[in-house]
């Protein structure tokens, strides 16, 4: 049972184990794994190499690498982070071919400290279980993989030890990366320098020079190393004859295979098999891991972050973010979107709004209207409203009405609420979206911190348009990240695409959790001035496309309007003329002639949401 199948939860493509490790027996898996030593030290066998990892060290196992962890004579606290290559391949198609090497013998470097900090923030989020921590960890892991691809996707040798390859020449890095990837992918085939020279459009002499300089080995030795490394799986996972294993990995003779195996592993393949097969993970030989107190883990992580001159949380983000996303519109979906809107109203709502309540409900186009009733409501009023709603064509339900709390959070009155519900509900498996139509209470107080879609006197909040959009979007999510989502829809025999981009930080997001005062929210929105530019490149069939874009910035809505007036006590003109505040999202429409790819850009400054619908013209 050499192969270890990693089980992930449906909503979290990362598995994190933090423990005092006695032994993690010999195994391999298809997914990428990070071993982060938080305290003490641990012995690691990876392929033919053995390492003693000390506090602060990070070792990365790419897929199909045979490895084992065992304690030394010192205690340890080790984090093992495993990530689903199936999930993250939607962002990084080449992740399964990665040769990530993060171990170095040169001590701490700036890029190693940066990687260490990124992983520690993920561990901290996971341990403290902050709100939406699974999504936050996933967002941050995407950033980690980008960093790995840029700085750690190569390896070299230092006295027969595989370490991170470092070079300042990006052209050389790109070339050797392609060469190593090709050799590993086709190691069992006959590969020549001429093949590599043709692939890179260079001379065989130059190719040979690059391989020697970067890996410290000749082409022939490196190819043999790759074959020997791959053979380890067959040696420990099967009972094939040594001669058959040699042929399977590309060696022409058994003697040739044994020569190189002895060079790297220090013993014959047969001896290696006899010595290590009993150490393979199995139902009999399971991992021996001791739990570590969670408070101790958090303290260790924060201590290391402090020594790296980092913040204790990852709330702060860079002031300007540029994201480029290549969208393959035929890719398999991540999940589906299909929500039904249930608008909840009360007898009080009808009395305060009158017959205009029907215009709000019609605009939202709900699947159902639920009338919330209480003992103080007149049965005749309840019946009359139910009849009117039924005659208007709505499915009507009745529910008991609980008196709402006097105050919840002013985030519900602002752009923070649409950001919150888009992130929470867009990927929610709940079919029904339930929302109160109107803030309870009298009209005199416009802002009440209640999760309704309009104010007491009928001013539409930003959430009104967010719920409207969510109820209309039906299709498959094909790309998703912290600041964007791409949805493929199919209507009238053709595909359309809904693309959403949003900009926020944790403080904006958390303003809809717990209690947030009116001044606190004003400060949160004013202080978040970061910018994000998201560029989507869609591969779609040629033709004429209609593009409709909607923008909901932080300046949109009743909260922003009153904030500019410093929340005055008297707002008579708004009570008498609620239409004086324009809250409708800004709209832009144009037609694009698409030849092969289509580029769509979003630019957001501060908290906000932008949404675009791209559909082919009839």
């Amino acid at each position: 049972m050499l192969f270890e199948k990693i089980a992930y939860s449906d909503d979290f493509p990362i598995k994190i184990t933090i423990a005092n490790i006695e032994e993690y027996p010999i195994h391999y898996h298809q997914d990428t794994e990070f071993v982060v030593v938080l305290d003490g030290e641990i012995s690691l066998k990876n392929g033919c190499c053995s390492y003693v990892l000390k506090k602060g060290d990070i070792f990365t196992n790419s897929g199909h690498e045979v490895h084992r962890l065992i304690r030394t004579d010192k205690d340890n606290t080790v984090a093992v982070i495993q990530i689903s290559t199936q999930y993250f391949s939607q962002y990084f198609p080449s992740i399964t071919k990665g040769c990530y090497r993060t171990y170095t013998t040169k001590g701490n470097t700036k890029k190693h400290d940066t990687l260490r900090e990124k992983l520690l923030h993920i561990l901290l989020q996971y341990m403290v279980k902050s709100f939406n921590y699974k999504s936050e960890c996933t967002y941050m892991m995407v950033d980690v993989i980008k960093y790995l691809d840029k700085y750690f996707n190569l390896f070299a040798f230092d006295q027969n030890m595989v370490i991170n390859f470092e070079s300042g020449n990006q052209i050389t890095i790109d070339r050797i990366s392609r060469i190593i990837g090709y050799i590993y992918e086709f190691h069992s085939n006959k590969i020549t320098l001429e093949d590599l020279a043709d692939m890179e459009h260079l001379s065989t002499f130059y190719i040979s020079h690059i391989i020697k300089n970067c890996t410290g080995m000749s082409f022939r030795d490196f190819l043999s190393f790759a074959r020997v490394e791959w053979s380890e799986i067959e040696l420990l996972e099967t009972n094939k004859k040594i001669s058959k294993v040699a042929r399977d990995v590309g060696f022409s003779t058994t003697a040739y295979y044994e020569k190189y195996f002895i060079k790297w592993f220090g013993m014959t393949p047969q001896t290696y098999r006899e010595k290590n097969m009993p150490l393979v993970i199995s139902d009999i030989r399971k991992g021996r891991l001791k739990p570590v107190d969670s408070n101790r883990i958090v303290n260790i992580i924060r201590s290391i972050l402090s020594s790296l001159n980092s913040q204790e949380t990852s709330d702060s983000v860079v002031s300007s973010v540029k994201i480029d996303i290549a969208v393959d519109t035929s890719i398999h979906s991540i999940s589906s979107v299909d929500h039904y809107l249930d608008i909840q109203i009360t007898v009080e709502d009808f009395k305060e709004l009158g017959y205009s309540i029907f215009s709000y409900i019609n605009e939202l186009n709900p699947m159902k209207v639920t009338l919330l009733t209480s003992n103080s409501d007149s049965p005749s009023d309840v019946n009359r409203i139910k009849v009117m709603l039924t005659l208007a064509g709505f499915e009507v339900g009745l529910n008991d009405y609980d008196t709402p709390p006097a105050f919840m959070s002013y985030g519900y009155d602002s752009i923070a609420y649409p950001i919150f519900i888009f992130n929470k509900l867009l990927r929610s498996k709940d079919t029904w979206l339930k929302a109160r139509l109107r803030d309870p209470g009298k009209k005199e107080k416009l802002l009440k911190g209640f999760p309704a879609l309009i104010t007491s006197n009928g001013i539409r909040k930003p959430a009104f348009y967010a719920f409207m959009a969510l109820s209309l979007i039906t299709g498959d999510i094909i790309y998703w990240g912290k600041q964007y989502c791409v949805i493929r829809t199919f209507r009238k025999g053709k595909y359309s695409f809904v693309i959403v981009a949003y900009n926020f930080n944790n403080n904006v997001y958390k303003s809809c959790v717990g209690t947030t005062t009116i001044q606190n929210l004003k400060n949160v929105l004013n202080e978040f001035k970061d910018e994000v530019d998201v560029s989507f490149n869609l591969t779609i069939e040629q033709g004429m496309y209609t593009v409709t874009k909607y923008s909901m910035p932080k300046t949109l809505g009743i909260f922003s309007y009153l904030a500019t007036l410093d929340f005055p006590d008297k707002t008579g003109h708004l009570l008498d003329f609620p239409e004086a505040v324009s809250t409708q999202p800004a709209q832009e429409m144009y037609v694009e002639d698409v030849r092969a790819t289509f580029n769509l850009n979003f630019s957001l400054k501060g908290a906000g949401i932008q949404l675009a619908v791209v559909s082919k013209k009839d």
Side-chain angles (χ1 to χ4, degrees):
M1 207 172 76
L2 181 67
F3 176 72
E4 180 185 50
K5 182 174 177 58
I6 303 170
Y8 301 95
S9 61
D10 291 341
D11 60 346
F12 195 36
I14 304 172
K15 182 179 180 181
I16 297 176
T17 303
I18 304 178
N20 182 310
I21 297 178
E22 292 286 331
E23 183 194 18
Y24 205 134
I26 296 176
H27 66 285
Y28 79 97
H29 35 70
Q30 65 184 14
D31 294 337
T32 300
E33 175 183 276
F34 303 92
V35 177
V36 184
V37 182
L38 300 176
D39 201 14
E41 64 180 36
I42 190 82
S43 177
L44 168 71
K45 174 198 173 300
N46 192 78
C48 62
C49 302
S50 294
Y51 308 82
V52 175
L53 306 179
K54 300 182 182 297
K55 181 177 180 178
D57 282 343
I58 300 169
F59 195 95
T60 307
N61 292 304
S62 301
H64 297 91
E65 291 186 311
V66 177
H67 54 285
R68 177 195 187 203
L69 288 165
I70 190 166
R71 66 164 293 160
T72 65
D73 58 353
K74 298 180 180 179
D75 280 339
N76 65 74
T77 302
V78 177
V80 178
I81 309 171
Q82 298 162 322
I83 64 174
S84 169
T85 53
Q86 181 180 6
Y87 177 86
F88 287 102
S89 61
Q90 64 176 305
Y91 305 107
F92 309 96
S94 62
I95 190 173
T96 56
K97 301 177 183 177
C99 295
Y100 303 123
R101 288 294 182 273
T102 54
Y103 182 78
T104 179
T105 56
K106 297 181 178 180
N108 291 346
T109 66
K110 184 176 180 180
K111 69 177 184 179
H112 283 84
D113 280 345
T114 300
L115 177 64
R116 189 174 294 111
E117 183 179 353
K118 291 176 183 292
L119 290 172
L120 288 171
H121 277 308
I122 292 174
L123 293 175
L124 186 60
Q125 278 276 6
Y126 177 79
M127 289 305 302
V128 300
K129 297 292 189 291
S130 59
F131 185 81
N132 208 31
Y133 76 95
K134 292 182 179 179
S135 294
E136 287 297 319
C137 289
T138 304
Y139 303 146
M140 289 189 285
M141 185 54 71
V142 170
D143 187 46
V144 167
I145 300 172
K146 286 181 182 177
Y147 202 74
L148 282 178
D149 274 342
K150 186 174 182 180
Y151 294 110
F152 296 98
N153 196 13
L154 283 176
F155 62 88
F157 297 84
D158 182 6
Q159 298 179 351
N160 290 349
M161 182 177 288
V162 182
I163 63 171
N164 170 236
F165 168 75
E166 300 182 28
S167 172
N169 189 324
Q170 189 60 46
I171 295 176
T172 299
I173 290 174
D174 291 342
R175 281 175 177 163
I176 193 62
S177 180
R178 287 192 296 268
I179 290 168
I180 289 176
Y182 183 88
I183 290 174
Y184 267 86
E185 184 175 3
F186 300 105
H187 66 276
S188 61
N189 298 343
K190 182 180 179 181
I191 301 176
T192 66
L193 274 174
E194 286 75 15
D195 296 330
L196 301 176
D198 289 343
M199 181 179 76
E200 291 298 312
H201 306 291
L202 298 169
S203 68
T204 55
F205 172 80
Y206 194 65
I207 289 291
S208 177
H209 180 73
I210 290 175
I211 295 174
K212 180 68 174 178
N213 275 1
C214 294
T215 69
M217 288 192 289
S218 67
F219 160 69
R220 182 55 54 190
D221 283 351
F222 182 77
L223 175 58
S224 298
F225 169 79
R227 288 170 172 170
V228 163
E229 191 175 39
W230 271 94
S231 75
E232 191 179 6
I233 292 176
E234 287 199 37
L235 280 176
L236 299 179
E237 198 170 41
T238 73
N239 290 313
K240 291 180 181 179
K241 292 182 177 180
I242 301 300
S243 58
K244 179 67 167 63
V245 174
R247 289 195 300 273
D248 286 349
V249 295
F251 285 102
S252 56
T253 68
T254 305
Y256 200 40
Y257 168 50
E258 290 183 338
K259 170 188 171 183
Y260 277 98
F261 195 93
I262 293 170
K263 176 179 179 179
W264 289 103
F265 283 88
M267 62 189 79
T268 66
Q270 184 62 40
T271 302
Y272 180 83
R273 171 182 277 173
E274 294 169 356
K275 180 179 178 181
N276 288 281
M277 259 196 170
L279 304 178
V280 169
I281 195 169
S282 66
D283 291 336
I284 299 174
R285 191 182 187 92
K286 298 180 179 180
R288 290 179 288 135
L289 287 73
K290 296 180 180 179
V292 180
D293 179 74
S294 58
N295 289 330
R296 170 174 160 74
I297 294 171
V298 170
N299 288 335
I300 291 173
I301 294 171
R302 285 178 168 162
S303 175
I304 299 173
L305 282 171
S306 178
S307 69
L308 293 171
N309 297 317
S310 302
Q311 299 297 321
E312 290 191 348
T313 68
S314 56
D315 285 344
S316 60
V317 293
V318 295
S319 59
S320 181
V321 177
K322 173 70 175 173
I323 303 174
D324 293 298
I325 304 162
V327 178
D328 177 1
T329 55
S330 63
I331 197 171
H332 291 300
S333 66
I334 301 171
S335 62
S336 60
V337 181
D338 191 7
H339 295 128
Y340 304 105
L341 186 57
D342 179 0
I343 293 298
Q344 301 175 334
I345 65 170
T346 65
V347 173
E348 179 194 79
D349 295 342
F350 193 87
K351 289 180 177 179
E352 291 292 337
L353 297 175
Y355 289 101
S356 66
I357 195 171
F358 288 101
S359 64
Y360 295 106
I361 298 174
N362 281 319
E363 196 172 348
L364 289 164
N365 192 30
M367 183 66 68
K368 180 180 179 181
V369 178
T370 297
L371 179 59
L372 303 177
T373 63
S374 66
N375 293 332
S376 61
D377 292 330
S378 163
S380 60
D381 285 342
V382 172
N383 186 63
R384 180 168 59 92
I385 296 171
K386 181 180 178 182
V387 169
M388 285 191 291
L389 288 169
T390 303
L391 291 174
F394 297 111
E395 177 188 337
V396 183
L398 294 177
N399 259 341
D400 291 336
Y401 173 47
D402 295 327
T403 303
F407 168 76
M408 295 185 72
S409 171
Y410 284 102
Y412 295 126
D413 296 317
S414 73
I415 189 63
Y417 194 31
I419 291 171
F420 178 84
I421 61 174
F422 260 94
N423 275 271
K424 183 177 180 181
L425 300 180
L426 197 58
R427 299 187 68 202
S428 171
K429 294 181 180 179
D430 294 334
T431 304
W432 285 95
L433 301 178
K434 297 181 180 181
R436 280 289 302 272
L437 176 65
R438 172 185 170 272
D439 284 340
K442 299 299 181 180
K443 298 178 180 180
E444 285 71 22
K445 185 179 180 181
L446 285 178
L447 301 182
K448 294 186 172 69
F450 188 81
L453 307 187
I454 63 176
T455 62
S456 297
N457 69 326
I459 297 176
R460 293 167 178 81
K461 302 183 191 179
F464 184 93
Y465 304 101
F467 272 93
M468 181 194 299
L470 283 169
S471 68
L472 293 174
I473 298 172
T474 302
D476 296 323
I477 296 178
I478 56 176
Y479 288 83
W480 171 76
K482 179 177 182 179
Q483 286 147 317
Y484 61 87
C485 184
V486 180
I487 302 162
R488 179 178 59 216
T489 68
F490 189 75
R491 293 180 182 176
K492 298 180 180 179
K494 61 183 180 181
Y495 286 108
S496 299
F497 302 93
V498 178
I499 303 172
V500 187
Y502 16 78
N503 191 27
F504 64 98
N505 64 359
N506 280 353
N507 290 331
V508 173
Y509 196 87
K510 291 176 181 177
S511 67
C512 294
V513 182
T515 57
T516 303
T517 67
I518 200 166
Q519 287 296 337
N520 282 346
L521 179 62
K522 179 182 177 181
N523 292 337
V524 165
L525 294 176
N526 287 343
E527 289 171 5
F528 181 59
K529 300 177 181 179
D530 297 349
E531 303 176 7
V532 61
D533 290 297
V534 190
S535 178
F536 297 90
N537 289 287
L538 285 75
T539 303
I540 51 180
E541 64 179 19
Q542 66 179 18
M544 302 299 292
Y545 285 80
T546 300
V547 181
T548 307
K549 295 180 72 174
Y550 303 90
S551 179
M552 297 173 64
K554 71 176 183 181
T555 54
L556 177 75
I558 182 64
F559 182 91
S560 178
Y561 184 88
L562 292 178
T564 60
L565 303 176
D566 201 21
F567 306 109
D569 294 330
K570 296 181 179 181
T571 52
H573 65 294
L574 295 181
L575 295 174
D576 298 331
F577 304 100
E579 63 275 8
V581 179
S582 177
T583 63
Q584 189 169 352
Q587 180 179 335
E588 174 189 7
M589 180 180 291
Y590 59 92
V591 176
E592 186 82 11
D593 185 2
V594 177
R595 298 299 180 183
T597 60
F598 170 58
N599 180 261
L600 189 64
N601 293 289
F602 295 88
S603 181
L604 297 98
K605 297 181 179 181
I609 298 178
Q610 290 184 3
L611 182 149
V613 180
V614 181
S615 56
K616 194 171 184 180
K617 291 188 68 178
D618 295 328

